[in-house]
């Protein structure tokens, strides 16, 4: 649960945000090696696909994390949304859902 949440929100979300900045990269600058400039030029053309893919992976990971949490709560017969952690998880799940479906 925690590892997958870290992967989603600690790795994939920052990468998804960063890829949206690729559309503004100046690929005519000569400060980087040629292969880096070629890679940036290719990524600049595909930034939206990379961005959407990372956001989709984030949502899939969030669904899995949320499902794991709910199944553990059900298995241990706890009441749902009793703690701040559970309420925060529900809020994050709802916000990520809004973000993803708002983007499509």
């Amino acid at each position: 649960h925690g590892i997958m949440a870290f992967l989603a929100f600690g790795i994939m979300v920052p990468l998804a945000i960063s890829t949206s900045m690729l559309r503004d990269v100046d690929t005519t600058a000569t400060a980087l090696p040629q292969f880096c400039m070629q890679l940036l030029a290719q990524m600049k053309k595909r930034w939206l696909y990379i961005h959407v893919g990372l956001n989709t992976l984030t949502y899939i990971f969030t669904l899995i994390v949320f499902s794991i949490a709910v199944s553990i709560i059900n298995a241990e017969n706890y009441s749902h949304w009793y703690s701040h952690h559970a309420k925060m998880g529900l809020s994050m799940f709802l916000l990520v859902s809004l973000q993803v479906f708002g983007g499509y």
Side-chain angles (χ1 to χ4, degrees):
H1 169 85
I3 292 170
M4 289 192 76
F6 169 75
L7 290 173
F9 295 101
I11 304 291
M12 285 186 276
V13 168
L15 284 174
I17 294 168
S18 298
T19 57
S20 69
M21 291 186 272
L22 285 174
R23 66 178 179 251
D24 297 326
V25 171
D26 181 16
T27 56
T28 61
T30 58
L32 293 173
Q34 185 64 28
F35 73 92
C36 289
M37 298 310 293
Q38 290 172 347
L39 179 63
L40 280 175
Q42 291 298 315
M43 290 178 73
K44 184 175 180 176
K45 294 176 188 175
R46 295 176 180 89
W47 76 268
L48 184 61
Y49 299 111
I50 298 167
H51 180 73
V52 169
L54 287 168
N55 278 335
T56 303
L57 278 174
T58 297
Y59 188 66
I60 291 168
F61 272 49
T62 303
L63 277 172
I64 294 168
V65 166
F66 188 74
S67 299
I68 290 170
V70 169
S71 66
I72 289 172
I73 288 172
N74 284 339
E76 296 181 2
N77 292 324
Y78 289 130
S79 62
H80 289 278
W81 328 125
Y82 68 97
S83 69
H84 294 295
H85 184 90
K87 291 175 187 173
M88 177 65 99
L90 177 61
S91 299
M92 289 178 70
F93 175 72
L94 294 174
L95 288 171
V96 168
S97 297
L98 278 171
Q99 170 68 26
V100 168
F101 293 117
Y104 283 115

